[in-house]
Amino acid sequence: MASALNLCGIILAAGESSRMGADKALLPWPPPEPGATPRPGPTLLSAAILAFEPFTRLVVVVAGRNSQPVGVTAGACGAYMVQNPNPERGQFSSLQAGLNEALSRGCDSAMITPVDCPPLSANSLERLCDSFQHALAQGIWAVVPEKDGKHGHPLLVSRELIGQFLDAPVTGNAREILHAHAQRVAYIS
């Protein structure tokens, strides 16, 4: 398990969910049965926080204009919240805000996911964390889960890749940076 790592969970939840019509972070998880009335309870955000908790030293949730309701859920689950002051700049600006918070809290690596990706099982997260520890020893900076050739989340990144993300302009994106350092990225089935 990743307990030897100084790993911070980062959940990106600053999007406006304009196409969804409701804040994705606060959608019920697991989803209600078709036709059932949604009831208050676990959300995508709370499920992600609780999934990351056993594998990370702390969890940071990045919110935008939704900071009040997201902050309530984050706090109730024991996570920290940071507000992206300019969420209109896009997801990369939220990633940079979360990584800066992780570093300021003494973490040197991160497990990153957008809030709208349902959390992986504990077994899958443990496998990713174990793979990340082995990859770090081989000079690899990141591990990414994949299934049937499709890349997913969470992304686990080292201090070296965090530096690359933070040195990039806010107009950059994570995919470009990962591609620029493809020899330092391992994909885990």
Side-chain angles (χ1 to χ4, degrees):
M1 185 163 336
S3 59
L5 294 172
N6 203 0
L7 192 61
C8 177
I10 298 176
I11 302 168
L12 306 175
E16 292 189 11
S17 304
S18 56
R19 290 176 297 181
M20 177 65 74
D23 193 331
K24 290 186 245 182
L26 305 176
L27 290 175
W29 191 261
E33 294 294 321
T37 304
R39 300 178 188 266
T43 62
L44 270 172
L45 177 58
S46 65
I49 293 167
L50 296 175
F52 277 15
E53 191 175 69
F55 303 97
T56 59
R57 199 180 109 221
L58 58 99
V59 177
V60 171
V61 177
V62 183
R65 291 182 186 88
N66 59 351
S67 63
Q68 198 284 323
V70 165
V72 168
T73 299
C77 294
Y80 296 93
M81 191 201 72
V82 63
Q83 186 170 3
N84 180 347
N86 299 302
E88 67 279 356
R89 288 184 161 178
Q91 190 175 65
F92 194 67
S93 67
S94 291
L95 174 61
Q96 289 177 321
L99 292 172
N100 275 317
E101 185 71 11
L103 292 177
S104 76
R105 293 187 178 274
C107 293
D108 59 12
S109 53
M111 181 186 301
I112 306 159
T113 192
V115 74
D116 59 357
C117 291
L120 295 180
S121 69
N123 286 340
S124 293
L125 289 173
E126 184 168 5
R127 182 171 179 199
L128 276 175
C129 289
D130 289 344
S131 297
F132 185 53
Q133 283 187 326
H134 294 296
L136 289 174
Q138 298 171 353
I140 298 295
W141 293 355
V143 298
V144 179
E146 75 174 356
K147 182 173 177 158
D148 301 326
K150 303 244 188 237
H151 303 153
H153 292 90
L155 167 69
L156 281 76
V157 300
S158 68
R159 178 65 182 98
E160 292 81 4
L161 195 56
I162 289 171
Q164 295 295 313
F165 286 146
L166 293 177
D167 288 343
V170 73
T171 56
N173 73 56
R175 183 174 290 134
E176 289 173 355
I177 294 167
L178 287 170
H179 286 235
H181 300 284
Q183 75 282 7
R184 302 276 190 178
V185 179
Y187 295 92
I188 309 300
S189 257

